[in-house]
Amino acid sequence: MAEHCLVYLLLHVICILVSPIPGCHSRSCDKINAAFTVGDDNATYILSGTQFIKYSFVHDSEETVGGLSKLGLSPGLVKPDAAFTMNGAVHILKRCEIFRYRMSGEATFVKEGETTTHSLGLPCDVDAAISWAGHVLAFKGCNIWKYDVSTHQFEPEGPVEKRGLPCNLDAAVQWKSSGAIFVRGAQFWKFDTVMRGPFHTDELNICSWYLCGEADWMREKRVGNMSCNGDERLCPLRLDQVTMAGLHNAGSGYDEVGFGFLNCWLQNHALSINKQMKLGIRHLDIDPCYDTCGLLGTCHSFVCGGSICPIIKQVRSFLRDNKDEVVTINFNHEIVNPEKVFQGLNRQLQTQMGPLLNKKFRQSREKKWPTLGQSIRANKRVFVFYAPVIESSPHNKLYQRYKWIHSENFYGSTWRPFSVHYGCDEVVNLTAARCEVRKSRELVEVSIIPEKGGCIDNMAEKCRPFLHQALRACEGFRFERNDSPNVLLVDYPEVDSGATSSVFHAVYHQNVRNIHKHRSQSCRVKVNAAVRVSQEETLFFIGKKIIVYSHSRRAQVGVRDAPDLYNIDAAYGVPERNAVRIVKGCETWDVDATSLLPLSRERRALVTCNLDAAVVWLSQLHTFKGCNVTTEGSDPTPLVSWGLPCQLDAVLHSDGKLFVFRDNSYWKYTGKGVASLEGHTLDWTIDAVQCGNSNI
Ligand SMILES: *[C@@H]1O[C@H](CO)[C@@H](O)[C@H](O)[C@H]1NC(C)=O
Ligand SMILES: *[C@@H]1O[C@H](CO)[C@@H](O)[C@H](O)[C@H]1NC(C)=O
Ligand SMILES: *[C@@H]1O[C@H](CO)[C@@H](O)[C@H](O)[C@H]1NC(C)=O
Ligand SMILES: *[C@@H]1O[C@H](CO)[C@@H](O)[C@H](O)[C@H]1NC(C)=O
């Protein structure tokens, strides 16, 4: 370890000394040297150093990657200058020479001859060349040459600026059926009918090479205040103690493309990965395969869901824009062709997001997952899982070598085939039973994936009302072991994503319970005050938050902020003024029940300071403090005569009954001197957990 650091430090120092440019990379970039299109197989060959990529426009993805010799090209053509196709022959330019190749068989070339650049009227060291729309153009410095079929010579064609291009291009090539791209360094320009750009070469969906431009932020440590997957209270929790919203068969139908009439059986979601992540997805479940969709794809039975490269890039750009987020990606057991997939995945993941991959768990002697906070501070925010065959020969060589690969065996899934013909109720008991069996796995995935009973979107809709219950059914088994359910896996999370039944809402409230369970030293459930402001809504005052609770949906539906109302002692309704009376310290004042703005500047002094709670019930004000309840105009009565404990947090009057909150318990009181303990405050599906400073 120490040696590694020293070497890294040394490299870094050398790097800074040698290169005064900010963002000096400790890793060399792959640079596109030349590219050409040949035949009518709609493929483009891109050359870099000793390597080539065959790019196919059918799936808009890489199709083959390898060394030049695999194409039949001479190894001497390392770092060629330029390439173009003319009369069916590929011309590769290097220094003052031109090597002519002809395609023989599928995707291999044989040498046909060679000549010099001078013999075609070109200088040595051409930068780039392209055959496009019946013309062949060559570029060097700031100039263009065009091939003249009558003289068989390249003739000067003017400066590159006239075409909207920069000087000193690296490569130029036909792109798709009618376009062309022009590459320089990490940038490219695109021509369809007009020249547009520059764009970053990253947008080309090339993942097997490292084309630079993204390295710096991936190596930066996170400084300053942070939140963790949207909530700073989650920072001290380990990966196995937090819950993430998971996307089943991620990539199957993404980017709004879909499978037409087959969507019923094959499409699992309809938005891009980036959009899913913006909605709150933090776990991707991917069925990887090779060849069906280009190099690496997501396969759903026999069809291609899409290429994996854009998924990796979308995850990365999301992580670039959201520095406090951690994701897990499971390239799961429904893998096809693992010997090729693992190689390809390793290459693409390391090239595209190597610095972000977290290997703490498999490196740690005690096999302990890092906390979200540690992972974000270190900027190691991606946890990758491979199908369990990674642990068997011959794949185990990779597994031993790369500690950032985790076996999918770490995940216990609750999945069991079930049908939703008569509804999805069954999933709750099924989850409980499966979670009990799987509880000692490192991580547990609660899987809400029915097998039968309709189209995928329809089945997802039937199951949505049970997401909260399914997590709750699992949590007890995991809490026993100081863990949590870790993934809630669903189809179509984007449908009704803002509703209380959504996967995001269920995961949020599971995380609230996770925080309460795993941080009992520093966090507690505490409702400062509760007041019903309408038939539909109750406001829960909790520290600095005012939570809007919906009675019809029986859950938190929003959060409001009003700095005047932080950490109040009590609140009760004054319906005739449409007001809420606020009680804090030794003062009381009224605010409008809708806007929460003060109705006047005046604040009145209280006879008794620092009340615990207050409520109007049977037209009389009741105040609570310590072990007493005082009805207006009467003497204090001990709370024990109501069957309640001392030091209450809040009392809510709702539908003629009182609901009494203290820590994570609540009671119902109907006036007969007997309060009944009803359950946990968090059963109201409100975020009532308050913590001390959690930033680490
Ligand atoms: C190549 O693309 C063209 C137009 O995009 C299409 O008509 C043709 O079928 C494609 N060829 C192959 C082999 O896919
Ligand atoms: C960090 O958080 C602390 C405590 O909440 C706050 O006082 C401070 O201003 C924050 N710093 C920044 C840079 O936001
Ligand atoms: C779930 O289990 C409970 C307790 O065993 C049982 O009462 C209930 O009927 C079951 N629900 C379903 C939908 O099977
Ligand atoms: C509760 O009421 C009793 C009797 O009036 C009084 O002696 C006691 O101080 C009160 N306790 C608190 C905490 O207000």
Side-chain angles (χ1 to χ4, degrees):
M1 265 320 280
E3 276 165 48
H4 266 103
C5 286
L6 210 65
V7 170
Y8 181 79
L9 207 70
L10 215 65
L11 273 176
H12 207 72
V13 169
I14 293 169
C15 170
I16 288 165
L17 289 178
V18 173
S19 158
I21 322 159
C24 155
H25 309 295
S26 48
R27 201 169 152 205
S28 67
C29 305
D30 295 316
K31 194 170 153 183
I32 295 177
N33 300 127
F36 60 91
T37 302
V38 65
D40 50 13
D41 64 348
N42 289 335
T44 284
Y45 294 81
I46 310 168
L47 309 179
S48 169
T50 59
Q51 299 279 308
F52 79 94
I53 285 176
K54 182 180 172 195
Y55 193 94
S56 155
F57 296 115
V58 178
H59 291 113
D60 213 349
S61 94
E62 294 171 48
E63 200 172 274
T64 322
V65 178
L68 293 181
S69 55
K70 188 169 164 184
L71 278 185
L73 300 182
S74 150
L77 284 176
V78 175
K79 286 196 196 168
D81 292 332
F84 60 85
T85 314
M86 194 157 64
N87 305 327
V90 179
H91 294 63
I92 300 178
L93 286 65
K94 186 168 174 175
R95 302 291 337 270
C96 306
E97 287 174 293
I98 300 180
F99 302 85
R100 252 192 351 264
Y101 282 86
R102 200 163 281 278
M103 200 166 219
S104 84
E106 199 181 320
T108 55
F109 297 88
V110 285
K111 193 160 166 196
E112 197 179 66
E114 58 184 274
T115 176
T116 61
T117 51
H118 293 287
S119 69
L120 288 181
L122 282 174
C124 296
D125 302 315
V126 166
D127 292 335
I130 184 172
S131 15
W132 191 72
H135 301 292
V136 179
L137 301 174
F139 302 80
K140 179 176 177 171
C142 299
N143 295 306
I144 307 180
W145 287 259
K146 184 175 174 183
Y147 187 73
D148 184 331
V149 281
S150 56
T151 62
H152 302 291
Q153 291 284 302
F154 279 89
E155 307 289 349
E157 177 71 8
V160 287
E161 291 98 328
K162 262 174 54 186
R163 310 276 181 137
L165 286 170
C167 300
N168 307 318
L169 290 173
D170 288 330
V173 71
Q174 179 176 335
W175 202 252
K176 304 198 181 161
S177 55
S178 63
I181 60 165
F182 302 86
V183 183
R184 191 184 69 176
Q187 293 184 317
F188 74 95
W189 286 255
K190 202 172 179 170
F191 183 82
D192 275 318
T193 46
V194 287
M195 192 68 78
R196 285 175 299 138
F199 305 99
H200 199 283
T201 43
D202 244 3
E203 291 181 34
L204 292 177
N205 277 349
I206 290 173
C207 280
S208 295
W209 290 344
Y210 172 57
L211 295 169
C212 291
E214 287 277 2
D216 301 349
W217 68 266
M218 285 195 271
R219 294 186 185 280
E220 278 162 14
K221 304 271 180 284
R222 180 77 171 85
V223 292
N225 294 349
M226 62 182 182
S227 113
C228 290
N229 283 17
D231 192 334
E232 67 168 19
R233 297 171 302 174
L234 288 173
C235 293
L237 264 55
R238 298 189 311 263
L239 187 75
D240 54 345
Q241 295 177 318
V242 296
T243 310
M244 301 198 191
L247 179 60
H248 177 230
N249 275 345
S252 197
Y254 72 99
D255 264 347
E256 290 119 54
V257 180
F259 310 96
F261 77 98
L262 293 174
N263 278 349
C264 169
W265 304 282
L266 295 181
Q267 193 180 49
N268 298 84
H269 65 102
L271 296 182
S272 71
I273 300 302
N274 199 279
K275 285 181 186 159
Q276 295 286 4
M277 296 192 75
K278 282 183 182 154
L279 287 178
I281 289 294
R282 292 293 174 274
H283 173 89
L284 302 177
D285 171 73
I286 295 173
D287 297 359
C289 62
Y290 204 86
D291 274 353
T292 315
C293 335
L295 202 53
L296 273 178
T298 67
C299 288
H300 198 154
S301 54
F302 53 94
V303 291
C304 164
S307 161
I308 283 179
C309 175
I311 296 183
I312 294 176
K313 292 201 172 182
Q314 287 181 32
V315 169
R316 191 183 58 187
S317 66
F318 177 83
L319 293 175
R320 179 193 59 213
D321 299 341
N322 299 273
K323 297 272 193 319
D324 290 349
E325 304 299 314
V326 172
V327 301
T328 50
I329 311 178
N330 183 15
F331 296 97
N332 72 43
H333 55 280
E334 289 182 53
I335 190 170
V336 182
N337 216 338
E339 36 317 310
K340 283 180 160 179
V341 167
F342 288 144
Q343 296 282 349
L345 269 180
N346 259 36
R347 181 167 184 158
Q348 296 201 356
L349 289 168
Q350 283 178 307
T351 320
Q352 302 306 313
M353 47 168 65
L356 298 177
L357 303 174
N358 196 308
K359 50 184 163 191
K360 270 278 179 296
F361 178 85
R362 289 191 57 221
Q363 269 182 343
S364 67
R365 211 167 300 152
E366 68 277 28
K367 293 286 172 275
K368 208 169 150 188
W369 295 99
T371 65
L372 289 192
Q374 289 163 345
S375 309
I376 291 166
R377 278 272 176 262
N379 206 2
K380 301 283 177 201
R381 297 185 284 134
V382 180
F383 291 83
V384 171
F385 296 79
Y386 280 6
V389 290
I390 190 69
E391 293 183 71
S392 327
S393 178
H395 315 299
N396 56 351
K397 286 211 185 71
L398 278 184
Y399 195 55
Q400 275 154 19
R401 178 147 176 226
Y402 298 107
K403 301 296 185 204
W404 53 264
I405 305 174
H406 305 94
S407 166
E408 193 195 9
N409 268 335
F410 291 165
Y411 271 110
S413 170
T414 63
W415 190 78
R416 255 301 162 85
F418 70 103
S419 152
V420 293
H421 274 301
Y422 307 104
C424 191
D425 323 30
E426 198 192 336
V427 79
V428 178
N429 284 0
L430 188 142
T431 301
R434 298 295 293 168
C435 201
E436 183 169 15
V437 176
R438 299 284 195 221
K439 65 182 178 189
S440 4
R441 292 288 182 94
E442 290 297 342
L443 301 159
V444 164
E445 171 194 273
V446 172
S447 169
I448 313 290
I449 311 299
E451 195 193 39
K452 288 197 287 264
C455 290
I456 294 174
D457 56 349
N458 182 256
M459 296 195 287
E461 189 178 335
K462 283 187 179 165
C463 288
R464 228 171 280 128
F466 299 94
L467 299 183
H468 286 264
Q469 291 175 52
L471 279 177
R472 280 202 171 102
C474 184
E475 75 176 22
F477 300 111
R478 292 292 282 168
F479 281 179
E480 255 173 45
R481 310 178 33 85
N482 276 326
D483 287 332
S484 301
N486 304 103
V487 172
L488 179 58
L489 193 69
V490 301
D491 291 312
Y492 288 101
E494 70 270 26
V495 178
D496 281 336
S497 62
T500 53
S501 59
S502 75
V503 63
F504 307 111
H505 204 268
V507 163
Y508 167 39
H509 288 281
Q510 182 62 53
N511 276 327
V512 167
R513 297 192 293 279
N514 295 343
I515 293 162
H516 179 243
K517 165 67 186 168
H518 301 304
R519 297 187 58 198
S520 51
Q521 300 297 313
S522 49
C523 303
R524 62 195 191 112
V525 173
K526 183 171 167 61
V527 174
N528 298 116
V531 56
R532 188 156 182 173
V533 290
S534 68
Q535 187 55 33
E536 172 58 12
E537 284 180 357
T538 284
L539 300 179
F540 284 97
F541 295 79
I542 295 165
K544 293 183 171 182
K545 286 187 301 218
I546 301 169
I547 281 168
V548 182
Y549 172 86
S550 153
H551 284 269
S552 62
R553 285 182 264 174
R554 315 182 98 226
Q556 169 177 341
V557 289
V559 178
R560 301 181 60 179
D561 184 31
D564 280 354
L565 307 180
Y566 287 172
N567 299 313
I568 61 173
D569 292 332
Y572 55 93
V574 190
E576 57 280 11
R577 297 187 71 191
N578 186 36
V580 173
R581 187 153 297 159
I582 304 291
V583 177
K584 184 176 180 180
C586 297
E587 292 183 321
T588 180
W589 70 97
D590 286 357
V591 296
D592 182 85
T594 313
S595 70
L596 298 180
L597 294 171
L599 288 173
S600 78
R601 278 168 189 238
E602 181 206 8
R603 293 190 179 191
R604 278 166 293 121
L606 289 168
V607 180
T608 312
C609 297
N610 305 320
L611 293 176
D612 292 334
V615 71
V616 173
W617 188 46
L618 305 174
S619 309
Q620 283 180 302
L621 176 64
H622 300 266
T623 55
F624 300 78
K625 180 165 177 162
C627 297
N628 293 330
V629 50
T630 307
T631 308
E632 209 171 8
S634 312
D635 286 336
T637 313
L639 274 170
V640 72
S641 68
W642 284 31
L644 286 169
C646 303
Q647 265 98 34
L648 300 178
D649 288 339
V651 179
L652 168 69
H653 180 192
S654 178
D655 293 332
K657 296 172 287 255
L658 296 184
F659 292 92
V660 178
F661 297 88
R662 182 176 186 274
D663 302 329
N664 196 20
S665 302
Y666 78 97
W667 291 259
K668 192 163 77 182
Y669 186 70
T670 46
K672 302 181 195 87
V674 191
S676 56
L677 180 60
E678 296 281 297
H680 294 306
T681 304
L682 294 182
D683 295 344
W684 287 62
T685 317
I686 54 173
D687 179 355
V689 174
Q690 300 194 42
C691 297
N693 189 10
S694 66
N695 241 326
I696 48 157

